[in-house]
């Protein structure tokens, strides 16, 4: 895209990117040259019939067309789900994933379209929200496609009939995101909230999230049970229920408590608190999209334990293999262990799948082997968590910051290597990636040293074309291979990915023999600030309400 932009006259670039001249009439052919799919873009805008329009005109039209495409996609998926020939369980599960994901896309596109229809100038938070939702729309569509492509031909003769139209819609979503990204809808929309050198001193480690005491606005007014940090924080709680596996609480299962929460509340309502007492809960927990602003607090790691064992080998899609699924906006999870016990031999087996915007996990443990933590989409924050795994065990395409976490490397199967991350960014305009900040990478305390001698461990590999992962101020044990990073397949994505390291420490952090791919970088402080809580997730705006401690900038 950059090379195409450089071919435009400088006066036109100024006209495109600086208000109010960005609202001047521009021909479709001209503006389509800097979208990922110029020919498709031109054909879309030809349906609008103007000889020329403004960037905002084009953006609104493309977004409206994308919404219609999402509605049509859902209808197509529903059609195939109802066919008598759709009888294979794996096919049904993949289609059900698509139905859920495309339904989310209808919500996200409707929300974003309503926002941009109301004004020509968004504030920074509206712009961040809209860009995040449009990035997630593409992620959802790609996830649907991945599930269908994984079906064996013998299991689903209709998968190819779905793949072509759904793939075309994915490209249309990319055009829509490009128009929003470059349409000057809000302040600094092209660069997000990234800092200049003069701003740095304001965002060193100056906020640990410790606020005044908890306030509970509830008739029940029970004692809040949680960590000291949460107790010291000003967290508004509207109601609280207790889950105990022996039946002595309000509910015996976590899902029953989730079902009791009110639907579609907003952040002003306060959190619906679910206290999960110590015990082992053998259930698959789901926080659906309409259960917003739930806070779930357990009795501690290895005290409150949620177990599941679904896996791809046993017929589940990666997407629906998770023990714990959260989609509802504003979720906060504290003091729990969540496991997928399927084991390494069952390959993809997710412990937690997170597709909830502005979601937070604090002092939790996620245990699995391959694909442990699926940070699927939208803005996420993890603090003081333990993540165990082997292959691609932190993966997905959200805008994710892991801070002060322990990343534990387990022993993989024979002839396997460990890859910590497999980030799934598919579009250069998506605001997504994995930022690992001030974490510790090591083997579990009870592991046998000799078992690791033949295992190679890498910081990550590119699952998708624009994979983006950054390690900052993190301790890396000697287990990390000197190359640091692993290719996915040949030279796939090596020039389009963005992998970076900044001021890491420990024997595995030596960059002398790192890969020399075009997309690999050793970055400076200015670039590292781009991937902090403040810049990458806008967490300073929503994390204080959770009571979870955080550092919004760099350590030093």
């Amino acid at each position: 895209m950059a090379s195409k932009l450089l071919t435009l006259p400088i006066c036109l670039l100024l006209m495109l990117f600086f208000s109010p001249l960005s609202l001047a009439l521009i021909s479709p052919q001209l503006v389509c040259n800097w979208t990922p799919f110029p020919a498709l873009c031109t054909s879309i805008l030809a349906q609008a019939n103007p000889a020329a329009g403004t960037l905002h005109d084009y953006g609104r039209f493309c977004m409206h067309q994308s919404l219609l495409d999402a509605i049509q996609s859902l209808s197509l998926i529903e059609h195939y789900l109802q066919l008598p020939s759709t009888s294979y369980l794996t096919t049904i599960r993949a289609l059900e994933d698509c139905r859920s994901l495309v339904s989310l896309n209808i919500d996200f596109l409707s929300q974003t379209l309503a926002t941009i229809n109301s004004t020509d100038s968004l504030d920074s938070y509206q712009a961040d929200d809209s860009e995040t939702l449009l990035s997630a729309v593409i992620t959802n569509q790609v996830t649907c496609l991945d599930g269908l492509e994984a079906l064996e031909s013998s299991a689903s003769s209709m998968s190819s009939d779905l793949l072509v139209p759904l793939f075309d819609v994915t490209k249309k979503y990319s055009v829509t995101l490009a128009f929003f990204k470059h349409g000057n809808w809000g302040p600094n929309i092209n660069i997000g909230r990234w800092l200049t050198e003069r701003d740095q001193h304001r965002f060193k480690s100056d906020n640990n999230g410790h606020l005044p005491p908890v306030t509970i606005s509830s008739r029940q007014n029970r004692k809040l049970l949680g960590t000291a940090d949460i107790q010291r924080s000003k967290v508004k709680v509207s109601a609280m229920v207790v889950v105990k596996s022996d039946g002595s609480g309000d509910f015996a299962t976590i899902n029953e408590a989730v079902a009791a929460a009110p639907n579609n509340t907003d952040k002003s309502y306060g959190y619906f608190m679910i206290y999960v007492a110590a015990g082992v809960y053998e259930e698959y927990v789901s926080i659906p999209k309409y259960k917003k602003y739930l806070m779930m607090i357990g009795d501690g790691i290895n005290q409150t334990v949620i177990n599941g064992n679904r896996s791809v080998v046993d017929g589940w899609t990666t997407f629906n293999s998770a023990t714990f699924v959260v989609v509802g906006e504003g979720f906060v999870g504290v003091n729990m262990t969540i496991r997928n016990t399927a084991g390494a031999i069952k390959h993809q087996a997710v412990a937690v799948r997170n597709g909830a915007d502005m979601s937070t996990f604090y002092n939790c443990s996620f245990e699995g082997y391959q694909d442990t933590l699926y940070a699927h989409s939208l803005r996420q924050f993890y603090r003081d968590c333990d993540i165990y795994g082997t292959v691609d065990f932190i993966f997905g395409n959200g805008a994710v910051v892991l801070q002060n976490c322990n990343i534990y490397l387990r022993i993989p199967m024979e002839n396997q290597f460990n890859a910590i991350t497999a980030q799934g960014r598919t579009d250069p305009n998506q605001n997504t990636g994995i930022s690992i900040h001030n974490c510790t990478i090591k083997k579990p305390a009870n592991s046998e040293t000799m078992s690791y001698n033949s295992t190679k461990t890498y910081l990550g590999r590119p699952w998708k074309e624009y994979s983006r992962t950054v390690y900052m101020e993190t301790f890396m044990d000697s287990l990390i291979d000197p190359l640091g990073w692993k290719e996915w397949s040949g030279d796939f994505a090596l020039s389009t990915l963005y992998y970076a390291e900044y001021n890491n420490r420990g024997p595995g952090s030596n960059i002398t023999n790192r890969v020399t791919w075009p997309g690999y970088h050793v970055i400076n402080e200015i670039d590292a600030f781009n991937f902090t809580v403040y810049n990458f997730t806008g967490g300073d705006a929503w994390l204080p309400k959770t009571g979870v401690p955080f550092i919004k900038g760099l350590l030093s």
Side-chain angles (χ1 to χ4, degrees):
M1 181 181 298
S3 61
K4 292 174 181 174
L5 276 173
L6 291 175
T7 63
L8 299 176
I10 188 63
C11 60
L12 179 57
L13 286 178
L14 292 172
M15 194 169 73
L16 289 177
F17 293 115
F18 292 97
S19 179
L21 293 178
S22 61
L23 301 182
L25 296 181
I26 308 167
S27 70
Q29 293 79 9
L30 188 60
V31 295
C32 284
N33 282 338
W34 44 263
T35 68
F37 304 102
L40 175 63
C41 171
T42 301
S43 69
I44 293 171
L45 295 186
Q47 301 173 53
N49 291 322
T54 69
L55 287 176
H56 287 185
D57 291 336
Y58 297 143
R60 290 188 178 101
F61 182 78
C62 284
M63 203 167 300
H64 181 260
Q65 293 303 110
S66 289
L67 177 57
L68 295 179
D69 287 331
I71 294 170
Q72 186 174 0
S73 295
L74 182 59
S75 177
L76 184 62
I77 291 162
E78 294 282 11
H79 168 73
Y80 278 104
L81 272 168
Q82 294 168 12
L83 289 178
S85 58
T86 305
S87 57
Y88 291 97
L89 185 57
T90 53
T91 303
I92 292 170
R93 286 172 174 164
L95 287 169
E96 287 175 342
D97 290 350
C98 286
R99 177 168 61 188
S100 173
L101 291 160
V102 174
S103 176
L104 283 172
N105 282 352
I106 293 172
D107 293 344
F108 294 167
L109 287 164
S110 298
Q111 182 177 336
T112 307
L113 187 59
T115 299
I116 65 171
N117 276 341
S118 65
T119 180
D120 277 329
S121 180
L122 309 180
D123 64 37
S124 61
Y125 295 106
Q126 289 174 315
D128 287 347
D129 289 348
S130 297
E131 186 179 357
T132 296
L133 293 177
L134 293 176
S135 294
V137 165
I138 297 173
T139 300
N140 289 342
Q141 191 79 358
V142 170
T143 303
C144 166
L145 284 166
D146 284 347
L148 293 174
E149 288 174 335
L151 295 175
E152 297 180 6
S153 58
S154 59
S156 177
S157 60
M158 59 80 185
S159 63
S160 60
D161 298 328
L162 272 175
L163 286 172
V164 172
L166 291 179
F167 181 73
D168 288 344
V169 170
T170 309
K171 293 191 288 186
K172 293 179 182 179
Y173 292 159
S174 286
V175 171
T176 298
L177 176 59
F179 270 111
F180 183 82
K181 181 82 171 181
H182 300 288
N184 198 24
W185 287 94
N188 298 324
I189 187 64
N190 288 310
I191 58 172
R193 306 172 70 211
W194 296 11
L195 300 182
T196 61
E197 186 171 4
R198 68 187 180 193
D199 296 318
Q200 292 178 26
H201 68 279
R202 297 190 294 121
F203 296 100
K204 302 296 185 180
S205 53
D206 58 350
N207 183 352
N208 287 320
H210 294 166
L211 299 171
V214 171
T215 58
I216 302 181
S217 55
S218 167
R219 292 179 302 174
Q220 301 174 47
N221 200 29
R222 297 175 179 170
K223 180 182 178 182
L224 177 63
L225 299 173
T227 66
D229 289 308
I230 291 291
Q231 288 177 338
R232 284 196 298 267
S233 302
K234 189 175 182 180
V235 178
K236 182 179 180 182
V237 178
S238 60
M240 179 176 170
V241 297
V242 176
V243 179
K244 291 188 176 181
S245 57
D246 63 5
S248 63
D250 297 309
F251 302 99
T253 70
I254 299 170
N255 281 315
E256 287 174 325
V258 171
N263 294 339
N264 295 314
T265 57
D266 61 35
K267 56 190 174 184
S268 64
Y269 181 80
Y271 288 101
F272 183 86
M273 179 82 70
I274 300 174
Y275 163 58
V276 185
V280 177
Y281 297 82
E282 303 283 350
E283 58 178 307
Y284 295 93
V285 177
S286 178
I287 316 295
K289 65 181 182 181
Y290 50 86
K291 298 294 184 180
K292 300 179 180 181
Y293 293 93
L294 269 61
M295 180 175 284
M296 189 176 295
I297 298 182
D299 271 330
I301 291 175
N302 295 328
Q303 299 300 310
T304 298
V305 179
I306 306 170
N307 280 342
N309 64 0
R310 291 173 177 169
S311 69
V312 167
V313 170
D314 287 338
W316 300 90
T317 63
T318 300
F319 186 76
N320 61 32
S321 69
T323 301
F324 192 102
V325 173
V326 55
V327 182
E329 178 182 307
F331 176 81
V332 181
V334 183
N335 292 352
M336 300 181 292
T337 291
I338 304 169
R339 295 174 178 151
N340 190 313
T341 61
I345 197 170
K346 293 299 180 74
H347 296 281
Q348 296 97 327
V350 176
V352 172
R353 188 189 88 223
N354 188 357
D357 198 19
M358 296 179 286
S359 56
T360 308
F361 282 90
Y362 175 45
N363 196 40
C364 290
S365 181
F366 313 127
E367 299 178 13
Y369 286 85
Q370 182 171 348
D371 291 3
T372 304
L373 174 57
Y374 194 172
H376 180 258
S377 58
L378 303 167
R379 292 165 289 194
Q380 309 178 17
F381 180 66
Y382 300 81
R383 170 78 182 212
D384 297 345
C385 291
D386 299 336
I387 307 104
Y388 294 79
T390 55
V391 179
D392 305 336
F393 64 98
I394 303 172
F395 74 114
N397 195 28
V400 182
V401 175
L402 290 86
Q403 194 174 88
N404 292 29
C405 294
N406 294 310
I407 298 172
Y408 289 115
L409 300 159
R410 287 179 149 175
I411 300 171
M413 293 192 298
E414 188 175 357
N415 298 320
Q416 281 189 330
F417 56 83
N418 285 338
I420 297 172
T421 64
Q423 205 281 327
R425 187 166 169 253
T426 61
D427 188 291
N429 289 312
Q430 286 179 302
N431 63 351
T432 55
I434 296 172
S435 174
I436 296 178
H437 182 210
N438 194 34
C439 294
T440 298
I441 302 170
K442 59 184 178 181
K443 60 190 177 185
N446 60 353
S447 62
E448 298 180 9
T449 302
M450 292 299 293
S451 301
Y452 284 89
N453 288 345
S454 60
T455 300
K456 287 185 176 292
T457 295
Y458 302 94
L459 299 174
R461 59 179 184 151
W463 180 28
K464 301 294 183 181
E465 188 173 3
Y466 294 94
S467 183
R468 182 159 64 176
T469 303
V470 178
Y471 286 82
M472 309 187 301
E473 301 178 316
T474 285
F475 176 85
M476 301 178 181
D477 206 347
S478 58
L479 297 168
I480 303 300
D481 189 270
L483 287 172
W485 306 81
K486 177 73 172 174
E487 69 281 353
W488 186 271
S489 178
D491 62 357
F492 168 74
L494 301 188
S495 60
T496 52
L497 60 78
Y498 185 93
Y499 287 166
E501 298 181 54
Y502 169 74
N503 201 25
N504 297 306
R505 58 194 184 277
S509 66
N510 190 326
I511 61 174
T512 303
N513 295 310
R514 287 295 197 250
V515 295
T516 57
W517 307 336
Y520 170 72
H521 309 273
V522 177
I523 57 177
N524 59 25
E525 186 178 23
I526 296 290
D527 292 331
F529 265 94
N530 298 336
F531 300 97
T532 59
V533 165
Y534 174 84
N535 291 303
F536 202 49
T537 67
D540 61 300
W542 52 272
L543 281 171
K545 298 178 180 65
T546 69
V548 173
F550 67 96
I551 298 167
K552 62 184 175 183
L554 296 171
L555 295 179
S556 59

